[in-house]
Amino acid sequence: METILPDIASLLFFLTFAIYSLLVIFMLVWTYHDAESRGVIGWLVVVPTFMTGTLLGVILWLVFRPALKPEPVWVRVRE
């Protein structure tokens, strides 16, 4: 009688693939939001980031990204 338990190698492969996929998604989402906050169209940064092998693309974005423009903070003055 055979057991239905999955092979440990298959389980480790699936777990490794799942963790890698989550990390790739996290890096792409972070890159998109960072680009949008700096005034750049996010998809124009995410697509080359993904195509260059995500880690290399994120490092290139960190090196060549534009400076963050400060936004004014509005303060109410009591009269």
Side-chain angles (χ1 to χ4, degrees):
M1 189 158 62
E2 293 183 26
T3 61
I4 306 176
L5 294 174
D7 187 20
I8 194 74
S10 299
L11 191 62
L12 285 175
F13 174 77
F14 176 74
L15 185 63
T16 303
F17 180 75
I19 291 172
Y20 175 76
S21 297
L22 288 174
L23 287 172
V24 166
I25 290 169
F26 172 76
M27 286 189 288
L28 293 175
V29 168
W30 178 84
T31 305
Y32 175 82
H33 287 292
D34 188 54
E36 289 285 328
S37 70
R38 294 173 185 274
V40 179
I41 300 172
W43 291 110
L44 291 179
V45 176
V46 169
V47 170
T49 299
F50 181 74
M51 294 299 178
T52 57
T54 307
L55 187 58
L56 175 63
V58 171
I59 291 170
L60 289 173
W61 171 248
L62 288 172
V63 170
F64 295 112
R65 66 185 178 172
L68 188 61
K69 296 178 178 127
E71 295 183 21
V73 177
W74 300 101
V75 179
R76 294 180 75 175
V77 179
R78 294 185 188 184
E79 294 182 22

